[in-house]
């Protein structure tokens, strides 16, 4: 079984553009992919409706799905939010720049393209020098949905972006993403703070700063308005198994003639006929490698990916969420 992460094997190669070149493309109304600490984003100038529309078209994303606005300083919040509640200031002070998105009531005039026609807007300051430098060079906020086709696995390297869009989208190379799963989303637009999407910043860390419990949907309910359960999904069906039952399931499937891929820690003894990706046990390392591993196994031509269910502790909720969604298409 193979350790660690290798980049995908898309034909062709990324020809990265510099921050200055990318800013030029954006300011002329174009679209570029840029690195953040979580995943690569598909950037366009947030004020430019035509450019934002291009992002939706490139992703194949339905217009009802709102996008996150990326800014470089907390002062920019006021350009998008009708008001910035005390709780937002506190979370921003503690977690920005970082993998946290705040949903606030939108200011009048913020494009319905960005908000998906809702009366709220999502904003974050990414913790990546290239992202910040790109926003600052443009002097503009950028929309940044993950740089993948709608419903597919988010990209965490420039090669992943290339696998999605080939050379139709210029990419700024910021190396592999250090967090690896998308930001935690907290909705502060209502009377009570709500968790909309778990991430690497877990609900308890947010609750500590807010001094109150987060309202949040049950773990298996959709979290984000317009979100689909089968999201973040590889093309190959993926099934989640507890470590102690996974090898037996693999053997059952092998006996039926299936080609089986396994995504698991060293808690699982992998049958030699299976293609495997060995996950580390440590949470941050799993998050960092998860999407690259899914892409790699997805390309292997296997009939099924059997993935070890992550631990049940709160700090794993972001990873559980992504794997649960990745498994939503499988029978
Ligand atoms: O880490 C991230 O957040 C990455 C990087 C590139 O910043 N971006 C990202 O964007 O994951 P995207 O578009 O793939 O996912 C954004 C999520 C969507 O599920 C969307 O529905 C939700 O944020 N969202 C955006 N605006 C919202 C709003 N006003 N209210 C509720 N949810 C919102
Ligand atoms: Mg996405």
């Amino acid at each position: 079984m193979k350790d660690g992460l290798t980049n995908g094997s898309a034909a062709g190669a990324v020809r990265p553009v510099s921050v200055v070149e990318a800013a030029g493309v954006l300011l002329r109304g174009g679209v570029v992919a840029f690195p953040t600490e979580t995943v690569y984003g598909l950037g366009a100038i947030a004020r430019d409706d035509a450019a934002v529309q291009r992002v939706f078209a490139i992703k194949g994303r339905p217009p009802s799905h709102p996008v996150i606005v990326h800014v470089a300083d907390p002062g920019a919040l006021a350009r998008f939010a009708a008001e910035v509640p005390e709780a937002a200031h506190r979370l921003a002070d503690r977690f920005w720049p970082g993998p946290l998105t705040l949903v606030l009531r939108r200011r009048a005039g913020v494009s319905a393209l960005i908000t998906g026609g809702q009366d709220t807007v999502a904003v974050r300051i990414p913790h990546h020098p290239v992202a910040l430098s790109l926003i600052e060079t443009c002097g503009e906020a950028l929309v940044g949905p993950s740089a993948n086709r709608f419903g597919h696995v988010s990209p965490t390297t420039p090669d992943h972006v290339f696998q999605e869009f080939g050379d139709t989208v210029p990419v700024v190379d910021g190396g592999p993403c250090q967090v690896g799963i998308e930001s935690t989303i907290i909705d502060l637009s209502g009377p009570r703070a709500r968790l909309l999407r778990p991430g690497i910043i877990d609900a308890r860390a947010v609750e500590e700063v807010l001094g109150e419990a987060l309202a949040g949907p049950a773990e298996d309910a959709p979290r984000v308005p317009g979100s689909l359960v089968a999201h973040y999904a590889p093309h190959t069906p993926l099934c989640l198994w507890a470590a102690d039952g996974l090898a037996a399931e693999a053997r059952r499937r092998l006996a039926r003639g299936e080609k089986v891929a396994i995504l698991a820690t060293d808690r699982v003894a992998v049958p030699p006929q299976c293609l495997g990706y060995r996950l580390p046990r440590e949470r941050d390392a799993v998050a960092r490698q998860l999407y690259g591993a899914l892409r790699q196994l997805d390309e292997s031509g296997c009939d099924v990916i059997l993935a070890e269910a992550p631990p049940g502790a709160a700090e794993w909720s972001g990873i559980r969420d992504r794997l649960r969604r990745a498994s939503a298409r499988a029978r």
Side-chain angles (χ1 to χ4, degrees), residues 146-162:
S146 51
N148 53 277
R149 289 180 193 283
F150 181 67
H152 194 213
V153 177
S154 294
T156 53
T157 67
D159 282 325
H160 296 166
V161 178
F162 189 84

Side-chain angles (χ1 to χ4, degrees), residues 283-307:
R283 182 203 61 164
D284 290 353
V286 172
R288 205 174 299 132
Q289 296 183 23
L290 183 64
Y291 288 154
L294 287 176
R295 281 176 183 271
Q296 202 172 300
L297 295 179
D298 210 12
E299 284 170 11
S300 69
C302 284
D303 299 307
V304 66
I305 300 170
L306 301 181

Side-chain angles (χ1 to χ4, degrees), residues 189-215:
S189 68
R192 231 179 114 193
R194 293 182 72 81
L195 174 67
L196 297 185
R197 180 173 71 185
I200 217 73
I201 294 175
D202 73 60
R204 275 184 317 196
V206 171
E207 288 172 340
E208 250 169 52
V209 173
L210 294 179
E212 61 165 316
L214 286 172

Side-chain angles (χ1 to χ4, degrees), residues 39 59 61 145-148 152 154 182 197 231-232:
V39 301
K59 273 186 69 84
R61 179 169 173 135
S146 51
N148 53 277
H152 194 213
S154 294
E182 303 83 351
R197 180 173 71 185
H231 223 91
Y232 313 101

Side-chain angles (χ1 to χ4, degrees), residues 14-41:
V14 186
R15 279 184 302 278
V17 295
S18 69
V19 166
V20 170
E21 287 167 322
V25 172
L26 290 167
L27 291 168
R28 289 191 299 274
V31 172
V32 302
F34 66 99
T36 80
E37 78 281 32
T38 57
V39 301
Y40 274 71

